[in-house]
Amino acid sequence: DYLRDVYRWAYLNPRNVKLLDREPVVKVILWGQHERLRRRAFAELAPGQRVLQPACVYGRFSPALARHLGPRGGLEVIDVADIQVAGCRRKLRGLPWARARRADAARPGGGPYDAVCCYFLMHELPDGYKRAVADALLDVVVPGGKVVFVDYHRPRRAHPLKGIMSLVFDTLEPFAKSLWRHEIADFASHAKHY
């Protein structure tokens, strides 16, 4: 329901999906930090691992992750929106070790996985749902596995973009500012066990 109510314009509207699902748009949205963040996320994941990616990501993130994991690994991308799953399936053509399916990140199914790569999903979830998703993702990794979260955080007090991001969050991302007040680990019921 919250996806339809809050994010229809970004993730469910076919015209906007086509417009936003481009690498240059992702680079702008992430203030030029996308490549660096993607490299750091991939550095946490080893070729040959079986990885879950909760939520389709705009741009070339998923095929790049699949190539990083290689044909001895596996990538499973899930999303609650059929339009997002269809777009991700198109991007993953020619990469038979990668697939996309419809599922909720709070109930991902599949698994167990060696790792989870959660890239810019948590800021879009209401706090109660952040908890459900964090717990579910931690539960689907093998013992000793890894869950990598990449998302927004509280900017430094004098950061030149803090005011702009505050306005963007207030206007377009109503659940994002909770990541200014809490670490992602705060949303996991048993974070100390991991």
Side-chain angles (χ1 to χ4, degrees):
D1 291 339
Y2 81 86
L3 182 65
R4 275 189 303 275
D5 294 343
V6 177
Y7 292 112
R8 175 184 299 277
W9 67 272
Y11 299 113
L12 302 176
N13 178 298
R15 183 178 50 104
N16 289 349
V17 167
K18 188 175 180 179
L19 175 70
L20 295 170
D21 192 9
R22 301 168 190 267
E23 199 68 15
V25 173
V26 175
K27 289 177 183 179
V28 168
I29 289 170
L30 296 178
W31 299 98
Q33 299 299 308
H34 174 57
E35 296 290 332
R36 182 178 69 86
L37 294 169
R38 187 172 79 173
R39 274 194 309 275
R40 291 192 65 186
F42 289 8
E44 297 292 326
L45 306 167
Q49 285 185 312
R50 185 166 183 246
V51 174
L52 173 68
Q53 178 192 314
C56 297
V57 175
Y58 281 155
R60 304 300 301 161
F61 184 88
S62 299
L65 179 53
R67 285 197 261 322
H68 172 75
L69 298 171
R72 293 182 188 219
L75 174 63
E76 192 158 6
V77 182
I78 61 170
D79 202 288
V80 296
D82 290 329
I83 190 171
Q84 294 296 322
V85 172
C88 191
R89 284 179 179 156
R90 282 190 297 277
K91 290 185 238 181
L92 295 174
R93 282 188 193 136
L95 302 167
W97 60 92
R99 71 183 194 115
R101 64 179 170 85
R102 189 172 189 276
D104 188 322
R107 293 175 294 287
Y113 300 94
D114 300 311
V116 172
C117 186
C118 186
Y119 194 78
F120 285 93
L121 170 64
M122 297 299 278
H123 76 279
E124 296 180 337
L125 306 174
D127 282 3
Y129 222 72
K130 282 179 176 68
R131 293 182 207 304
V133 168
D135 287 343
L137 298 182
L138 290 167
D139 285 346
V140 296
V141 293
V142 297
K146 185 183 286 189
V147 180
V148 178
F149 290 96
V150 178
D151 220 306
Y152 294 107
H153 62 87
R154 170 178 248 152
R156 283 188 232 96
R157 176 174 278 167
H159 194 284
L161 298 177
K162 183 177 181 178
I164 294 169
M165 288 309 295
S166 182
L167 181 62
V168 167
F169 287 168
D170 290 343
T171 306
L172 300 173
E173 301 278 6
F175 311 117
K177 281 191 175 174
S178 69
L179 293 181
W180 287 16
R181 297 182 295 274
H182 304 282
E183 294 290 327
I184 289 175
D186 295 342
F187 294 104
S189 298
H190 306 289
K192 290 185 171 50
H193 295 139
Y194 295 97

